[in-house]
Amino acid sequence: MPSAPTWPQLWRQPAFRWRLGGILGGLLALGAVIPRFFAFIEARPGVVLPDPVLAWLPVYEVSGPTFGVIYLSIVVALVHLLPRPARLLRALWAYGLLHLFRLFTLWLTPLEPPLGMTLLHDPLVDRFFYASATPITKDLFFSAHTATVLILAMAVGSRALRWGLLLSAALTGLLVMVQHVHYSYDVAAAPLFAGLSFWLAGRVARW
């Protein structure tokens, strides 16, 4: 089996540099747009969906465990991906495409938060990215937290690490439902959009 290309090998290819620069610029642009978009969806009226799964689950505040799982998954995956630039590039494109899909689905599905929702507190994002006087509660369909960990699971090359990240994604989906910050439909849709984003990223990032 041929060895994976290294940073010096890929950096000599203009196509790689353009794709890497393009996605990094795109993610910065998304970062500038998303706060305004979230302000729009928060001001828009929506509907409350019946959800028998959430009706069965007790409500607990589990922000700490949720983001412990998510950030640990990100760190472990990045340690694996950073020496593997081709895989990292595909993961970055998948993450960017995932958020484009999510902007579209959020615009298409005006929803109110599930009954009994307890605010999810992200120690990093709340402070540095979505800093707002009003909390974000309507970023519902689909669960980006779950889908992001799934993308990391698809991006890594180690089978053991992939299974660990898949378990982390399942745990993330369960925790956001326990806190009632997502409908079960949001979590169930996450694998579909994660898989589609990762597949499209493969088409964009390959050469």
Side-chain angles (χ1 to χ4, degrees):
M1 181 181 295
S3 60
T6 63
W7 277 102
Q9 290 171 332
L10 289 183
W11 193 253
R12 288 194 290 268
Q13 301 184 28
F16 175 81
R17 297 198 301 270
W18 276 105
R19 286 171 172 84
L20 181 60
I23 187 54
L24 292 177
L27 290 174
L28 287 174
L30 275 173
V33 168
I34 284 176
R36 295 184 180 182
F37 179 79
F38 277 8
F40 159 71
I41 65 169
E42 284 298 315
R44 181 181 62 171
V47 298
V48 177
L49 298 178
D51 192 327
V53 175
L54 293 194
W56 175 76
L57 282 174
V59 183
Y60 292 103
E61 208 289 332
V62 288
S63 296
T66 300
F67 288 105
V69 170
I70 292 170
Y71 286 127
L72 179 61
S73 299
I74 292 172
V75 169
V76 170
L78 283 179
V79 168
H80 177 85
L81 292 171
L82 282 173
R84 299 166 174 84
R87 288 184 177 274
L88 177 64
L89 179 64
R90 185 173 182 180
L92 289 172
W93 271 99
Y95 183 72
L97 291 167
L98 180 79
H99 279 281
L100 288 178
F101 281 127
R102 193 159 183 263
L103 292 180
F104 178 70
T105 57
L106 287 173
W107 173 77
L108 200 63
T109 56
L111 298 172
E112 294 293 334
L115 297 175
M117 183 203 72
T118 301
L119 287 177
L120 190 65
H121 296 288
D122 185 327
L124 296 181
V125 173
D126 286 352
R127 183 172 182 181
F128 298 110
F129 193 62
Y130 295 151
S132 172
T134 57
I136 305 298
T137 61
K138 298 183 182 180
D139 56 333
L140 295 166
F141 188 79
F142 50 95
S143 172
H145 296 112
T146 308
T148 297
V149 182
L150 284 169
I151 281 176
L152 294 174
M154 289 183 277
V156 298
S158 163
R159 179 176 295 182
L161 182 54
R162 179 174 296 123
W163 276 108
L165 289 168
L166 286 173
L167 290 174
S168 294
L171 182 56
T172 300
L174 175 61
L175 289 171
V176 295
M177 288 192 295
V178 165
Q179 196 154 337
H180 286 210
V181 293
H182 273 294
Y183 292 101
S184 61
Y185 318 116
D186 306 333
V187 175
L192 170 65
F193 286 99
L196 179 59
S197 299
F198 192 73
W199 177 79
L200 286 174
R203 311 289 290 185
V204 172
R206 73 178 183 179
W207 46 81

